[in-house]
Amino acid sequence: RSRMHARIGRNHQKTLASTLNEGEEVPMFLAQALDYLTQPTIVNTPRMFVDPVSPVHLAAVKEKIGKGKKSELGDILRSLNSPKTVCQVLIDFLDDLSEPLITSDLYDAILQLSSIPSEKLRLEVLRMGFYSMPLHHRKSLRYLLNGLKFIQEHGDPTIRKILPVTFGEVILKRPRPEAGSVSA
């Protein structure tokens, strides 16, 4: 495929699998964005995940990424010269997935972890949940968490408290009600 086939928009229609190119285990956009954000000259950008990005600018960037060739993605991200924009596009990319990285069927189990008194049992439940997810979700989640860990350890101290909240909201979501169902 010569063009980025995973359009980055707010449609909640794309699945993680649909963002993969043949032979990829992690979506190219996720890998390229994290590779950019973890560069030594970028990782220390103050308030990189905090400051807002203009919606007009963000829409233009998403359009440019959506129309760009797969081989140009890294160049597009670097040409932005805006870590804050790349952060926001990454967050939107994850938020726009129809199924979050931590699949919706695990939502209740994750929330109940704190009620399990044994740390060993909590870890076993987490491990079982992790391995119950599709392979491309596991690999993408691992890639994302490793990148975020690096950013948290080496980046601007102002983002240390915001990263878990910012990404927690897009990688773990309450399941959406099925069409035709009535919620209480």
Side-chain angles (χ1 to χ4, degrees):
R1 298 174 191 172
S2 64
R3 294 206 163 279
M4 288 292 299
H5 61 282
R7 182 137 166 64
I8 300 173
R10 290 226 168 258
N11 57 21
H12 296 290
Q13 298 297 315
K14 69 177 185 270
T15 63
L16 185 63
S18 74
T19 67
L20 295 173
N21 295 308
E22 190 174 323
E24 288 180 341
E25 296 180 335
V26 173
M28 180 172 278
F29 176 77
L30 177 65
Q32 292 284 339
L34 285 169
D35 289 351
Y36 172 78
L37 294 171
T38 56
Q39 291 177 34
T41 57
I42 303 296
V43 75
N44 286 311
T45 302
R47 303 176 51 84
M48 158 162 86
F49 287 93
V50 179
D51 291 340
V53 177
S54 156
V56 173
H57 175 66
L58 196 57
V61 167
K62 288 179 183 182
E63 184 174 339
K64 185 176 183 178
I65 291 170
K67 289 181 177 179
K69 292 181 181 177
K70 173 178 82 164
S71 60
E72 298 170 346
L73 184 56
D75 293 335
I76 291 170
L77 295 177
R78 284 186 293 281
S79 73
L80 295 172
N81 198 25
S82 173
K84 295 172 185 183
T85 301
V86 175
C87 291
Q88 188 59 57
V89 175
L90 174 60
I91 291 165
D92 287 354
F93 171 81
L94 295 168
D95 193 37
D96 289 345
L97 295 172
S98 61
E99 180 71 20
L101 284 185
I102 299 176
T103 53
S104 297
D105 58 319
L106 295 174
Y107 181 82
D108 290 328
I110 297 291
L111 293 183
Q112 295 301 320
L113 281 174
S114 63
S115 66
I116 300 173
S118 164
E119 182 177 355
K120 185 177 180 181
L121 186 55
R122 278 193 307 272
L123 290 173
E124 183 61 22
V125 169
L126 266 176
R127 188 185 68 74
M128 289 173 39
F130 180 76
Y131 285 106
S132 74
M133 295 187 320
L135 181 62
H136 52 278
H137 279 255
R138 293 194 314 256
K139 290 191 178 238
S140 296
L141 180 63
R142 184 175 284 149
Y143 199 94
L144 175 67
L145 294 177
N146 284 336
L148 294 177
K149 179 181 178 190
F150 182 88
I151 291 167
Q152 192 163 14
E153 289 173 351
H154 302 296
D156 178 56
T158 61
I159 63 171
R160 291 198 177 119
K161 290 183 181 178
I162 194 126
L163 274 182
V165 174
T166 301
F167 282 90
E169 293 175 348
V170 296
I171 64 172
L172 177 66
K173 297 180 192 173
R174 178 183 310 277
R176 289 192 186 103
E178 292 183 27
S181 68
V182 178
S183 54

